[in-house]
Amino acid sequence: MTRLALLTLISCSLMACGGSKGDGADEVGDASGTDSGSSSDSVGESSDSGSGESTTSTTGTDTTTTDTTATDTTDTTDTTDTTDTGGDQCEPGQVFCNGVCTDVSSDPNNCGECGNGCNGNEACGSGVCGGDMICPLGMVDCNGECRDISNDPEFCGSCDMNVCGDLELCSDGTCVCRPEFSECDGACVDLDADADNCGSCGTACGDLVCVAGDCADADACAQTVCDGACVDLDTNPLHCGDCGNGCAVDQVCFGGECWDYEPAAGCNSCGDCDVCSNPDICCELQGYGVSCVDTDLPCP
């Protein structure tokens, strides 16, 4: 073989090998590019999808939990039963019988008083089974006299002369302490002016004076000291007008005098009440309700 032919053969061999290496590189590059891109895309999609869904789901759960907690707190209410068992619950003329306000002037199951039932179909008239006496609405026949036993302190709850104490009044057929008094060990006391129960039951002032519910020196009293207590002689039913001058159960104290009073049966206000007869006047007494008062003074 000539030198020229040999050089030509060698040159051709070299070109063929170079082309083979180039194609291989292209294939590797293509595979690497495809795999890398595909792998990167896959990782990116997985990361976006997983992270996004996980974050949203977790955040949603937290929000829902917070809302539920807030709702539970808001809906919690105090359902403590504070219903009283008698006194100042019923309309005028009604008596509190077994937790129910009852008109004992006409109820055949509670005729004249709680628990007094009439026989058979016998009607209840003015608080008497089969009675024929006609009393004003809400009043009952007490031995020929019409009385409002719902708030009459001399006939409280029945016609059997159920008289309340001097420091009590009748409310819904039950004897309770007068408005300015509180019960301590079964007795009605004025916590604002009681030397033995000053401000609270059992708190004694000793040598001091009970002034507006506090034990203090006598100089602190701008009114009158009676039995170790600072009192208003114009209104105090224990010391009305003078120390020791107490009013009776059917009296109220104002203007320093004890005045007879009785409930104005069936009246919710003096404006629509015409049951008080002369010389009584109609007064809306705080704590006592609408009353007919035998007085020549204006209502307090």
Side-chain angles (χ1 to χ4, degrees):
M1 179 178 296
T2 64
R3 176 176 291 185
L4 179 60
L6 181 61
L7 291 174
T8 302
L9 178 61
I10 293 172
S11 176
C12 289
S13 298
L14 291 172
M15 289 178 64
C17 290
S20 179
K21 287 182 179 179
D23 290 341
D26 287 345
E27 287 175 7
V28 171
D30 289 344
S32 174
T34 301
D35 291 345
S36 175
S38 176
S39 175
S40 175
D41 290 345
S42 176
V43 171
E45 288 173 5
S46 175
S47 175
D48 292 344
S49 175
S51 176
E53 288 176 4
S54 176
T55 302
T56 303
S57 175
T58 302
T59 304
T61 303
D62 292 344
T63 303
T64 303
T65 302
T66 303
D67 291 343
T68 302
T69 303
T71 302
D72 291 341
T73 302
T74 303
D75 290 341
T76 302
T77 54
D78 184 4
T79 58
T80 302
D81 186 6
T82 57
T83 304
D84 289 338
T85 57
D88 199 25
Q89 299 291 306
C90 305
E91 293 294 323
Q94 295 183 333
V95 172
F96 207 63
C97 293
N98 297 320
V100 179
C101 292
T102 306
D103 182 358
V104 295
S105 69
S106 60
D107 188 342
N109 296 315
N110 300 277
C111 189
E113 61 183 342
C114 295
N116 183 41
C118 297
N119 296 323
N121 294 324
E122 194 174 30
C124 178
S126 295
V128 178
C129 293
D132 54 8
M133 183 175 176
I134 300 177
C135 289
L137 183 66
M139 301 186 78
V140 301
D141 175 12
C142 289
N143 301 317
E145 184 179 6
C146 293
R147 311 289 300 205
D148 182 359
I149 65 171
S150 70
N151 54 7
D152 190 326
E154 294 182 298
F155 296 87
C156 190
S158 75
C159 292
D160 297 332
M161 287 297 292
N162 184 25
V163 182
C164 297
D166 287 347
L167 297 180
E168 295 179 321
L169 56 78
C170 182
S171 179
D172 302 341
T174 302
C175 291
V176 297
C177 292
R178 294 193 187 218
E180 61 268 37
F181 288 78
S182 303
E183 184 177 344
C184 287
D185 295 328
C188 294
V189 300
D190 184 354
L191 295 179
D192 281 340
D194 190 298
D196 296 320
N197 303 277
C198 190
S200 62
C201 295
T203 300
C205 288
D207 294 333
L208 298 177
V209 174
C210 184
V211 182
D214 290 318
C215 295
D217 292 331
D219 293 342
C221 178
Q223 297 172 319
T224 305
V225 176
C226 294
D227 296 334
C230 184
V231 301
D232 183 356
L233 297 180
D234 279 344
T235 59
N236 194 301
L238 275 175
H239 309 282
C240 189
D242 196 5
C243 290
N245 184 39
C247 297
V249 64
D250 60 344
Q251 294 180 321
V252 290
C253 177
F254 61 87
E257 295 185 61
C258 295
W259 304 99
D260 293 343
Y261 86 99
E262 63 181 12
C267 294
N268 290 305
S269 69
C270 285
D272 59 1
C273 185
D274 59 359
V275 301
C276 299
S277 57
N278 289 328
D280 293 0
I281 62 172
C282 181
C283 293
E284 296 178 14
L285 303 176
Q286 185 176 2
Y288 295 80
V290 184
S291 304
C292 298
V293 185
D294 182 9
T295 179
D296 53 14
L297 296 179
C299 295

